[in-house]
Amino acid sequence: MKTIKEKINTTEFDIIKAQELWAQNVIEIGNLYTINEDYKVKARAFVSQFYAFDISEVLFKPTLASEKQFRYNFNDAVSYFIGGSVSEDKGFALKPWKKIRFGERKTVILLETALSMGNYFFQSFDDTDEVKIEYTFGYIKDNNDNLLINLHHSSVPYKI
């Protein structure tokens, strides 16, 4: 049984690597969708691998959610990435994305959690411009030392 590790014992470099891997996996889901491979299995594995639903409450506020703004369970998180149980979801990971990069960030590491806040940028295949999104990710570790997201909030920057 997975449980939460009492002390996170991580570095900012570990968080940067976890974010890069998160981005690669979102891109891979879209690529699988594009070539008619089993993107649904990949998406479920992605949410299991990167989010703490198996060991903790997860606070997930995805960027493109307005009717059901907050996703508190595994199936609703999967739905955001590929469509499914929430009617407004079109499948964020199915765009597909050509490139996702994390930009400026600030990280705070506490005893049992870590927080990272900054911008990430998404570039689709049909657009040369990047879309800037603001994010806050909270991390915990399981007893196998896997960094897992227990807080995901992202939004489009405010414009006057």
Side-chain angles (χ1 to χ4, degrees), residues 96-119:
W97 300 106
K98 176 179 170 181
K99 182 179 178 184
I100 302 170
R101 71 176 178 85
F102 283 77
E104 175 188 352
R105 68 174 65 82
K106 177 70 176 163
T107 301
V108 176
I109 299 171
L110 305 167
L111 288 176
E112 64 279 334
T113 63
L115 300 169
S116 181
M117 181 172 71
N119 296 309

PDB file of all heavy atoms in Angstrom, residues 96-119:
ATOM      1  N   PRO A  96      -2.647  18.116 -30.286  1.00  0.00           N
ATOM      2  CA  PRO A  96      -1.544  17.734 -29.413  1.00  0.00           C
ATOM      3  C   PRO A  96      -0.561  18.900 -29.272  1.00  0.00           C
ATOM      4  O   PRO A  96      -0.537  19.810 -30.097  1.00  0.00           O
ATOM      5  CB  PRO A  96      -0.880  16.581 -30.146  1.00  0.00           C
ATOM      6  CG  PRO A  96      -1.086  16.908 -31.598  1.00  0.00           C
ATOM      7  CD  PRO A  96      -2.439  17.618 -31.663  1.00  0.00           C
ATOM      8  N   TRP A  97       0.263  18.807 -28.239  1.00  0.00           N
ATOM      9  CA  TRP A  97       1.267  19.835 -27.991  1.00  0.00           C
ATOM     10  C   TRP A  97       2.595  19.432 -28.620  1.00  0.00           C
ATOM     11  O   TRP A  97       3.019  18.301 -28.510  1.00  0.00           O
ATOM     12  CB  TRP A  97       1.432  20.070 -26.493  1.00  0.00           C
ATOM     13  CG  TRP A  97       0.156  20.521 -25.873  1.00  0.00           C
ATOM     14  CD1 TRP A  97      -0.676  19.778 -25.083  1.00  0.00           C
ATOM     15  CD2 TRP A  97      -0.470  21.795 -26.019  1.00  0.00           C
ATOM     16  NE1 TRP A  97      -1.776  20.516 -24.731  1.00  0.00           N
ATOM     17  CE2 TRP A  97      -1.675  21.768 -25.295  1.00  0.00           C
ATOM     18  CE3 TRP A  97      -0.133  22.968 -26.698  1.00  0.00           C
ATOM     19  CZ2 TRP A  97      -2.535  22.854 -25.223  1.00  0.00           C
ATOM     20  CZ3 TRP A  97      -0.994  24.056 -26.625  1.00  0.00           C
ATOM     21  CH2 TRP A  97      -2.171  23.998 -25.895  1.00  0.00           C
ATOM     22  N   LYS A  98       3.224  20.373 -29.258  1.00  0.00           N
ATOM     23  CA  LYS A  98       4.547  20.166 -29.857  1.00  0.00           C
ATOM     24  C   LYS A  98       5.632  20.325 -28.801  1.00  0.00           C
ATOM     25  O   LYS A  98       6.619  19.591 -28.787  1.00  0.00           O
ATOM     26  CB  LYS A  98       4.748  21.192 -30.976  1.00  0.00           C
ATOM     27  CG  LYS A  98       6.085  21.188 -31.647  1.00  0.00           C
ATOM     28  CD  LYS A  98       6.065  22.255 -32.736  1.00  0.00           C
ATOM     29  CE  LYS A  98       7.413  22.516 -33.315  1.00  0.00           C
ATOM     30  NZ  LYS A  98       7.334  23.561 -34.348  1.00  0.00           N
ATOM     31  N   LYS A  99       5.414  21.296 -27.912  1.00  0.00           N
ATOM     32  CA  LYS A  99       6.421  21.597 -26.900  1.00  0.00           C
ATOM     33  C   LYS A  99       5.737  22.159 -25.663  1.00  0.00           C
ATOM     34  O   LYS A  99       4.809  22.959 -25.776  1.00  0.00           O
ATOM     35  CB  LYS A  99       7.422  22.614 -27.458  1.00  0.00           C
ATOM     36  CG  LYS A  99       8.542  22.978 -26.535  1.00  0.00           C
ATOM     37  CD  LYS A  99       9.482  23.970 -27.216  1.00  0.00           C
ATOM     38  CE  LYS A  99      10.600  24.379 -26.284  1.00  0.00           C
ATOM     39  NZ  LYS A  99      11.455  25.408 -26.888  1.00  0.00           N
ATOM     40  N   ILE A 100       6.201  21.731 -24.499  1.00  0.00           N
ATOM     41  CA  ILE A 100       5.777  22.298 -23.223  1.00  0.00           C
ATOM     42  C   ILE A 100       7.049  22.580 -22.446  1.00  0.00           C
ATOM     43  O   ILE A 100       7.879  21.694 -22.275  1.00  0.00           O
ATOM     44  CB  ILE A 100       4.891  21.333 -22.414  1.00  0.00           C
ATOM     45  CG1 ILE A 100       3.646  20.936 -23.205  1.00  0.00           C
ATOM     46  CG2 ILE A 100       4.510  21.951 -21.064  1.00  0.00           C
ATOM     47  CD1 ILE A 100       2.849  19.811 -22.564  1.00  0.00           C
ATOM     48  N   ARG A 101       7.186  23.814 -22.013  1.00  0.00           N
ATOM     49  CA  ARG A 101       8.364  24.128 -21.218  1.00  0.00           C
ATOM     50  C   ARG A 101       7.962  24.931 -19.990  1.00  0.00           C
ATOM     51  O   ARG A 101       7.049  25.745 -20.031  1.00  0.00           O
ATOM     52  CB  ARG A 101       9.408  24.874 -22.031  1.00  0.00           C
ATOM     53  CG  ARG A 101       9.066  26.283 -22.394  1.00  0.00           C
ATOM     54  CD  ARG A 101      10.203  27.005 -23.141  1.00  0.00           C
ATOM     55  NE  ARG A 101       9.768  28.345 -23.483  1.00  0.00           N
ATOM     56  CZ  ARG A 101       9.851  29.388 -22.680  1.00  0.00           C
ATOM     57  NH1 ARG A 101      10.362  29.265 -21.468  1.00  0.00           N
ATOM     58  NH2 ARG A 101       9.424  30.581 -23.076  1.00  0.00           N
ATOM     59  N   PHE A 102       8.647  24.644 -18.913  1.00  0.00           N
ATOM     60  CA  PHE A 102       8.465  25.390 -17.681  1.00  0.00           C
ATOM     61  C   PHE A 102       9.457  26.539 -17.710  1.00  0.00           C
ATOM     62  O   PHE A 102      10.629  26.356 -18.022  1.00  0.00           O
ATOM     63  CB  PHE A 102       8.726  24.493 -16.461  1.00  0.00           C
ATOM     64  CG  PHE A 102       7.588  23.559 -16.167  1.00  0.00           C
ATOM     65  CD1 PHE A 102       7.387  22.420 -16.931  1.00  0.00           C
ATOM     66  CD2 PHE A 102       6.716  23.815 -15.127  1.00  0.00           C
ATOM     67  CE1 PHE A 102       6.346  21.558 -16.667  1.00  0.00           C
ATOM     68  CE2 PHE A 102       5.671  22.963 -14.857  1.00  0.00           C
ATOM     69  CZ  PHE A 102       5.476  21.823 -15.627  1.00  0.00           C
ATOM     70  N   GLY A 103       8.982  27.735 -17.398  1.00  0.00           N
ATOM     71  CA  GLY A 103       9.833  28.915 -17.390  1.00  0.00           C
ATOM     72  C   GLY A 103      10.180  29.310 -15.972  1.00  0.00           C
ATOM     73  O   GLY A 103      10.494  28.461 -15.129  1.00  0.00           O
ATOM     74  N   GLU A 104      10.090  30.594 -15.725  1.00  0.00           N
ATOM     75  CA  GLU A 104      10.398  31.129 -14.407  1.00  0.00           C
ATOM     76  C   GLU A 104       9.581  30.408 -13.338  1.00  0.00           C
ATOM     77  O   GLU A 104       8.397  30.159 -13.503  1.00  0.00           O
ATOM     78  CB  GLU A 104      10.053  32.621 -14.396  1.00  0.00           C
ATOM     79  CG  GLU A 104      10.200  33.278 -13.056  1.00  0.00           C
ATOM     80  CD  GLU A 104       9.676  34.705 -13.052  1.00  0.00           C
ATOM     81  OE1 GLU A 104       9.338  35.243 -14.120  1.00  0.00           O
ATOM     82  OE2 GLU A 104       9.599  35.258 -11.963  1.00  0.00           O
ATOM     83  N   ARG A 105      10.259  30.049 -12.249  1.00  0.00           N
ATOM     84  CA  ARG A 105       9.572  29.369 -11.160  1.00  0.00           C
ATOM     85  C   ARG A 105      10.232  29.721  -9.843  1.00  0.00           C
ATOM     86  O   ARG A 105      11.396  30.098  -9.802  1.00  0.00           O
ATOM     87  CB  ARG A 105       9.570  27.855 -11.348  1.00  0.00           C
ATOM     88  CG  ARG A 105      10.946  27.222 -11.212  1.00  0.00           C
ATOM     89  CD  ARG A 105      10.950  25.709 -11.242  1.00  0.00           C
ATOM     90  NE  ARG A 105      10.545  25.089 -12.460  1.00  0.00           N
ATOM     91  CZ  ARG A 105      11.298  24.889 -13.528  1.00  0.00           C
ATOM     92  NH1 ARG A 105      12.531  25.321 -13.552  1.00  0.00           N
ATOM     93  NH2 ARG A 105      10.850  24.262 -14.583  1.00  0.00           N
ATOM     94  N   LYS A 106       9.472  29.580  -8.800  1.00  0.00           N
ATOM     95  CA  LYS A 106       9.980  29.691  -7.439  1.00  0.00           C
ATOM     96  C   LYS A 106       9.528  28.436  -6.721  1.00  0.00           C
ATOM     97  O   LYS A 106       8.390  28.002  -6.858  1.00  0.00           O
ATOM     98  CB  LYS A 106       9.426  30.944  -6.750  1.00  0.00           C
ATOM     99  CG  LYS A 106       9.832  31.102  -5.308  1.00  0.00           C
ATOM    100  CD  LYS A 106      11.288  31.439  -5.172  1.00  0.00           C
ATOM    101  CE  LYS A 106      11.625  31.695  -3.704  1.00  0.00           C
ATOM    102  NZ  LYS A 106      13.022  31.634  -3.429  1.00  0.00           N
ATOM    103  N   THR A 107      10.442  27.831  -5.970  1.00  0.00           N
ATOM    104  CA  THR A 107      10.147  26.584  -5.273  1.00  0.00           C
ATOM    105  C   THR A 107      10.412  26.757  -3.783  1.00  0.00           C
ATOM    106  O   THR A 107      11.411  27.365  -3.400  1.00  0.00           O
ATOM    107  CB  THR A 107      11.012  25.443  -5.830  1.00  0.00           C
ATOM    108  OG1 THR A 107      10.738  25.311  -7.233  1.00  0.00           O
ATOM    109  CG2 THR A 107      10.733  24.138  -5.141  1.00  0.00           C
ATOM    110  N   VAL A 108       9.493  26.240  -2.989  1.00  0.00           N
ATOM    111  CA  VAL A 108       9.637  26.228  -1.536  1.00  0.00           C
ATOM    112  C   VAL A 108       9.554  24.773  -1.088  1.00  0.00           C
ATOM    113  O   VAL A 108       8.590  24.077  -1.411  1.00  0.00           O
ATOM    114  CB  VAL A 108       8.521  27.051  -0.856  1.00  0.00           C
ATOM    115  CG1 VAL A 108       8.620  26.955   0.660  1.00  0.00           C
ATOM    116  CG2 VAL A 108       8.565  28.498  -1.323  1.00  0.00           C
ATOM    117  N   ILE A 109      10.569  24.317  -0.368  1.00  0.00           N
ATOM    118  CA  ILE A 109      10.583  22.944   0.124  1.00  0.00           C
ATOM    119  C   ILE A 109      10.410  22.993   1.638  1.00  0.00           C
ATOM    120  O   ILE A 109      11.178  23.648   2.340  1.00  0.00           O
ATOM    121  CB  ILE A 109      11.887  22.228  -0.273  1.00  0.00           C
ATOM    122  CG1 ILE A 109      11.985  22.181  -1.805  1.00  0.00           C
ATOM    123  CG2 ILE A 109      11.931  20.823   0.329  1.00  0.00           C
ATOM    124  CD1 ILE A 109      13.308  21.693  -2.340  1.00  0.00           C
ATOM    125  N   LEU A 110       9.370  22.327   2.114  1.00  0.00           N
ATOM    126  CA  LEU A 110       9.061  22.275   3.540  1.00  0.00           C
ATOM    127  C   LEU A 110       9.387  20.882   4.060  1.00  0.00           C
ATOM    128  O   LEU A 110      10.059  20.109   3.385  1.00  0.00           O
ATOM    129  CB  LEU A 110       7.589  22.639   3.749  1.00  0.00           C
ATOM    130  CG  LEU A 110       7.186  24.000   3.150  1.00  0.00           C
ATOM    131  CD1 LEU A 110       5.687  24.149   3.123  1.00  0.00           C
ATOM    132  CD2 LEU A 110       7.836  25.138   3.911  1.00  0.00           C
ATOM    133  N   LEU A 111       8.900  20.530   5.224  1.00  0.00           N
ATOM    134  CA  LEU A 111       9.204  19.201   5.771  1.00  0.00           C
ATOM    135  C   LEU A 111       8.634  18.072   4.930  1.00  0.00           C
ATOM    136  O   LEU A 111       9.349  17.185   4.490  1.00  0.00           O
ATOM    137  CB  LEU A 111       8.699  19.092   7.210  1.00  0.00           C
ATOM    138  CG  LEU A 111       9.477  19.882   8.245  1.00  0.00           C
ATOM    139  CD1 LEU A 111       8.814  19.757   9.600  1.00  0.00           C
ATOM    140  CD2 LEU A 111      10.919  19.420   8.300  1.00  0.00           C
ATOM    141  N   GLU A 112       7.314  18.078   4.717  1.00  0.00           N
ATOM    142  CA  GLU A 112       6.702  16.955   3.998  1.00  0.00           C
ATOM    143  C   GLU A 112       6.100  17.351   2.652  1.00  0.00           C
ATOM    144  O   GLU A 112       5.503  16.534   1.974  1.00  0.00           O
ATOM    145  CB  GLU A 112       5.646  16.265   4.861  1.00  0.00           C
ATOM    146  CG  GLU A 112       4.440  17.102   5.236  1.00  0.00           C
ATOM    147  CD  GLU A 112       4.679  18.042   6.417  1.00  0.00           C
ATOM    148  OE1 GLU A 112       5.532  17.772   7.261  1.00  0.00           O
ATOM    149  OE2 GLU A 112       4.001  19.070   6.460  1.00  0.00           O
ATOM    150  N   THR A 113       6.262  18.616   2.270  1.00  0.00           N
ATOM    151  CA  THR A 113       5.722  19.070   0.994  1.00  0.00           C
ATOM    152  C   THR A 113       6.705  20.001   0.299  1.00  0.00           C
ATOM    153  O   THR A 113       7.608  20.549   0.917  1.00  0.00           O
ATOM    154  CB  THR A 113       4.388  19.838   1.175  1.00  0.00           C
ATOM    155  OG1 THR A 113       4.630  21.005   1.946  1.00  0.00           O
ATOM    156  CG2 THR A 113       3.326  18.980   1.813  1.00  0.00           C
ATOM    157  N   ALA A 114       6.485  20.174  -0.977  1.00  0.00           N
ATOM    158  CA  ALA A 114       7.215  21.169  -1.759  1.00  0.00           C
ATOM    159  C   ALA A 114       6.190  21.880  -2.631  1.00  0.00           C
ATOM    160  O   ALA A 114       5.212  21.275  -3.072  1.00  0.00           O
ATOM    161  CB  ALA A 114       8.286  20.518  -2.612  1.00  0.00           C
ATOM    162  N   LEU A 115       6.420  23.162  -2.859  1.00  0.00           N
ATOM    163  CA  LEU A 115       5.543  23.961  -3.699  1.00  0.00           C
ATOM    164  C   LEU A 115       6.378  24.597  -4.799  1.00  0.00           C
ATOM    165  O   LEU A 115       7.494  25.052  -4.554  1.00  0.00           O
ATOM    166  CB  LEU A 115       4.862  25.060  -2.884  1.00  0.00           C
ATOM    167  CG  LEU A 115       3.987  24.604  -1.736  1.00  0.00           C
ATOM    168  CD1 LEU A 115       3.600  25.790  -0.854  1.00  0.00           C
ATOM    169  CD2 LEU A 115       2.748  23.908  -2.261  1.00  0.00           C
ATOM    170  N   SER A 116       5.813  24.625  -5.992  1.00  0.00           N
ATOM    171  CA  SER A 116       6.479  25.273  -7.109  1.00  0.00           C
ATOM    172  C   SER A 116       5.440  26.122  -7.828  1.00  0.00           C
ATOM    173  O   SER A 116       4.337  25.651  -8.122  1.00  0.00           O
ATOM    174  CB  SER A 116       7.059  24.224  -8.057  1.00  0.00           C
ATOM    175  OG  SER A 116       7.732  24.844  -9.128  1.00  0.00           O
ATOM    176  N   MET A 117       5.808  27.379  -8.087  1.00  0.00           N
ATOM    177  CA  MET A 117       4.888  28.296  -8.745  1.00  0.00           C
ATOM    178  C   MET A 117       5.656  29.038  -9.831  1.00  0.00           C
ATOM    179  O   MET A 117       6.817  29.407  -9.647  1.00  0.00           O
ATOM    180  CB  MET A 117       4.326  29.294  -7.734  1.00  0.00           C
ATOM    181  CG  MET A 117       3.342  30.274  -8.320  1.00  0.00           C
ATOM    182  SD  MET A 117       2.516  31.289  -7.054  1.00  0.00           S
ATOM    183  CE  MET A 117       3.869  32.337  -6.554  1.00  0.00           C
ATOM    184  N   GLY A 118       5.008  29.211 -10.974  1.00  0.00           N
ATOM    185  CA  GLY A 118       5.649  29.930 -12.059  1.00  0.00           C
ATOM    186  C   GLY A 118       4.795  29.924 -13.304  1.00  0.00           C
ATOM    187  O   GLY A 118       3.568  29.863 -13.236  1.00  0.00           O
ATOM    188  N   ASN A 119       5.468  29.946 -14.434  1.00  0.00           N
ATOM    189  CA  ASN A 119       4.790  29.912 -15.729  1.00  0.00           C
ATOM    190  C   ASN A 119       5.229  28.671 -16.484  1.00  0.00           C
ATOM    191  O   ASN A 119       6.372  28.241 -16.375  1.00  0.00           O
ATOM    192  CB  ASN A 119       5.174  31.142 -16.562  1.00  0.00           C
ATOM    193  CG  ASN A 119       4.717  32.418 -15.924  1.00  0.00           C
ATOM    194  OD1 ASN A 119       3.555  32.557 -15.562  1.00  0.00           O
ATOM    195  ND2 ASN A 119       5.614  33.375 -15.768  1.00  0.00           N
TER     196      ASN A 119
END
